[in-house]
Amino acid sequence: MAGRTKRCTVVYATPARQRLWSVELPEQGSVAEVLDLARLQAADADVPWDADVGIFGELCARETVPRDGDRIEIYRPLTSDPKESRRGRGRGGG
């Protein structure tokens, strides 16, 4: 049916703040389109728009078509390798 839309929420969180943008787009709109619409709302917010993204904690491609109500998450780049951090803690090095 033509003209149907869906709503998705885009989230980006830092240790200091969580940002949320609610967008409405055509039913067959992709994650990339959701991000473009959120970026328009975000104005000059410091968000890594080209970072990895996921839907409810599952990594996804920007071509993915999310469902109505999905939460699109923008992931922060890792500052350290989790495996190395665990090894350091295991050796008592922090």
Side-chain angles (χ1 to χ4, degrees):
M1 179 180 266
R4 294 187 69 178
T5 62
K6 62 185 170 191
R7 274 200 166 296
C8 294
T9 302
V10 175
V11 297
Y12 175 67
T14 65
R17 183 172 184 184
Q18 180 175 356
R19 297 179 179 270
L20 298 160
W21 300 278
S22 181
V23 300
E24 188 170 335
L25 69 158
E27 192 171 39
Q28 290 305 310
S30 67
V31 167
E33 292 172 78
V34 171
L35 294 172
D36 288 343
L37 292 168
R39 191 175 197 163
L40 292 173
Q41 293 179 30
D44 62 348
D46 187 21
V47 176
W49 296 103
D50 58 344
D52 287 340
V53 294
I55 298 175
F56 290 120
E58 294 291 327
L59 198 62
C60 72
R62 291 173 185 266
E63 297 79 28
T64 301
V65 176
R67 290 181 266 181
D68 185 47
D70 277 356
R71 183 183 71 218
I72 313 303
E73 302 155 342
I74 302 171
Y75 300 127
R76 289 182 287 134
L78 294 176
T79 57
S80 64
D81 182 346
K83 289 180 184 177
E84 286 302 316
S85 295
R86 283 191 296 276
R87 285 186 194 115
R89 286 192 302 272
R91 290 189 299 262

